[in-house]
Amino acid sequence: MADGGKQQEPEQSGRVHQGRDAVFIGGEWRPAVGAERVDVLDPATEQVIGHVPAAGAQDVDAAVRAAREALPAWSATAPGRRAAVLAAARDLMAARRADIAATVAGELGAPLPFATAVHTDMPTAVMGTFADLAAEHPFEETVGTSRVFQEPVGVVGAITPWNYPLHQIVAKVAPALAAGCTVVLKPAEDTPLVAQLFAGILAEAGLPAGVFNLVTGFGPVAGQALVEHPGVDMVSFTGSTAVGRAIGAAAGGAVKRVALELGGKSANVILPGADLARAVNVGVANVFANSGQTCSAWTRMLVDAERYEEAVELAAAAAAKYRPGERLGPVVNAKQRERVRGYIRKGVEEGARIVAGGPEAPEALPTGYYVQGTVLADVAPESTVAQEEIFGPVLALIRYQDEEDALRIANGTVYGLAGAVWGPDDETAVAFARRMDTGQVDINGGRFNVRAPFGGYKQSGVGRELGAHGLAEYLQTKSLQF
Ligand code: ADP
């Protein structure tokens, strides 16, 4: 995901959206029922940059009612008309590029070039793909004596995390709207500002009132109320495996459809004969992008014993180029910073060797939630830092003996979201990738594709996002026999 989007330089500096003290329900901004607010911090300065309401169950109820009310008309709207609204939203996102980038840079702490090229341009491109898919998709087919219709699932409750704030929202809301569903979104409490910008864009694009509703607030309050609301037909969640498991259980108990995009511990497998320098450099960039806060990051680098020490040296040299405060932004909040540092210490306790970075605060950066870009060598495949998702700029280098050993290590976690294989040729790499228990694998440096299905095997999730497969998540079938 880190490689996604068009690589254009930001031309203008935008304005940070400071937050609106309102929720967006039924086509209008209105005060939340309670007075509680969420303070939004800039992780680079630790200063409050905005506020949004911390909505409660009554707000969620009003939003779900608005979404239900809007459902019959929107689901009956011709797909071509739905496509036109999504295309208008894409154009508005492109026009507001500088403001979106500045807002994500502010609330997530991402360096502005990355906030522009990835956090803004990638979701804009994704919105465009769903505008195209809404227009192209065959919502009707003939199967023998039957006509089969693909119809919207209904009201979708979408719950998103902070790591790619706008991308995660668009990856749910765009296909849901393309399918003819209506939506209530509960974005992450750390990054709600860009969600408010997005709500404004959808309204301006001509989306009818009630089709999209936004309730900001905390997970165990607003998020839980949305999951449990009987008026919600489907819950689409991206976040931690711990919360995803609870949401899946609640949704399953109510026989709601559920889509879960959860954690990862993806393997970057460098086979003998691969271009080692390229594989290591791209691998380090993949892990350090977005300060390591990418669920699909290749956080375990697997290298054969013969070239292992050479890979360690290359990785340490590559990591040294990521200076905190410049190319490497802060992590999202103080809690995450302490968590990531704790994992680095734990790695050392369990026998790993620090070859770049470390758990100490970066020098000369007293303010901001920064963690040094860290490379751990000699990591044992079963150790904590090789098994658990750290969600920070920490790479674990693991040595393997032969291809079977590499496969055992690659498949030896509870996760299976992504990965990479580098081989002497594509055929060798593909043969290995086909044996990996994971949802997405980049072959010899293949780039992120916004139309390719994205999602997990094993405990990395249920369902797929993006492209035609992502659209299908929001559709159910009806067959008429003749
Ligand atoms: P992360 O580690 O990315 O913060 P979380 O799983 O904690 O992951 O959060 C992802 C999203 O889920 C956020 O929008 C958060 O508010 C929401 N969330 C957290 N707890 C719950 C819950 N119990 N029910 C519903 N949503 C929740």
Side-chain angles (χ1 to χ4, degrees), residues 296-335:
S296 55
W298 311 332
T299 47
R300 297 178 299 148
M301 185 182 285
L302 277 53
V303 188
D304 63 277
E306 205 167 306
R307 296 199 292 176
Y308 183 79
E309 283 307 329
E310 192 186 342
V312 169
E313 277 175 34
L314 287 165
K321 294 182 194 143
Y322 285 80
R323 291 170 64 86
E326 293 169 18
R327 241 166 123 186
L328 193 63
V331 297
V332 73
N333 57 36
K335 190 172 147 221

Side-chain angles (χ1 to χ4, degrees), residues 266-272 274 300-304 400-412 418-438 440-444 457:
S266 296
N268 179 12
V269 182
I270 306 176
L271 295 173
R300 297 178 299 148
M301 185 182 285
L302 277 53
V303 188
D304 63 277
Y400 69 82
Q401 299 305 328
D402 55 29
E403 217 172 280
E404 291 309 308
D405 192 33
L407 187 70
R408 183 186 60 78
I409 296 167
N411 287 340
V421 182
W422 306 79
D425 50 63
D426 283 356
E427 204 187 334
T428 308
V430 167
F432 190 95
R434 290 296 307 270
R435 299 169 73 199
M436 290 169 78
D437 301 332
T438 194
Q440 193 167 91
V441 184
D442 293 355
I443 301 295
N444 285 325
Y457 280 33

Side-chain angles (χ1 to χ4, degrees), residues 159-163 186-190 217-225 227 237-244 246-247 336 339 391:
I159 299 176
T160 54
W162 45 262
N163 66 335
K186 205 302 281 174
E189 46 271 53
D190 286 291
F218 295 105
V221 182
Q224 195 165 332
V227 170
F237 169 82
T238 297
S240 61
T241 295
V243 175
I247 288 179
Q336 279 297 119
R339 206 173 153 262
F391 235 58

